């Protein structure tokens, strides 16, 4: 495995090696961007807190924090 690949894996997956069991809760910042992670949490029975936008599915998250990142360029 090249050093570049190893560094990439260490950066994004390095914390997993320290896990003893499944986490009790996961915080997901962008529901649409992290849809795969959200589906994995649902499958594994991990509760989720999601920061959601107005165009997200409200039924997928256990706890919601509503936010809207859509900007209105026509506003004065």
């Amino acid at each position: 495995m090249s050093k570049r690949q190893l560094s990439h894996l260490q950066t994004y997956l390095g914390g997993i090696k320290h896990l003893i069991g499944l986490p009790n809760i996961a915080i997901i910042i962008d529901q649409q961007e992290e849809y795969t992670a959200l589906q994995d949490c649902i499958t594994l029975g991990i509760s989720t807190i999601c920061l959601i936008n107005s165009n997200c599915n409200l039924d997928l998250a256990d706890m919601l924090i509503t936010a809207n990142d859509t900007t209105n360029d026509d506003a004065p």
Side-chain angles (χ1 to χ4, degrees), residues 7 19 38 58:
S7 175
L19 287 176
L38 180 61
L58 303 176

Side-chain angles (χ1 to χ4, degrees), residues 17-74:
K17 67 182 176 184
H18 301 293
L19 287 176
I20 296 170
L22 291 176
N24 294 326
I25 197 159
I27 300 171
I28 298 178
I29 301 299
D30 186 353
Q31 189 185 55
Q32 289 180 322
E33 184 76 23
E34 301 297 336
Y35 184 75
T36 303
L38 180 61
Q39 289 295 90
D40 289 343
C41 288
I42 291 169
T43 301
L44 294 170
I46 300 170
S47 297
T48 56
I49 297 174
C50 290
L51 183 66
I52 61 165
N53 201 1
S54 58
N55 58 351
C56 292
N57 187 345
L58 303 176
D59 296 329
L60 293 178
D62 296 314
M63 292 173 248
L64 308 171
I65 300 172
T66 56
N68 195 354
D69 65 356
T70 308
T71 58
N72 186 357
D73 293 332
D74 297 332

Side-chain angles (χ1 to χ4, degrees), residues 7-22:
S7 175
H8 178 78
L9 289 173
Q10 181 64 32
T11 300
Y12 290 99
L13 301 174
I16 293 175
K17 67 182 176 184
H18 301 293
L19 287 176
I20 296 170
L22 291 176

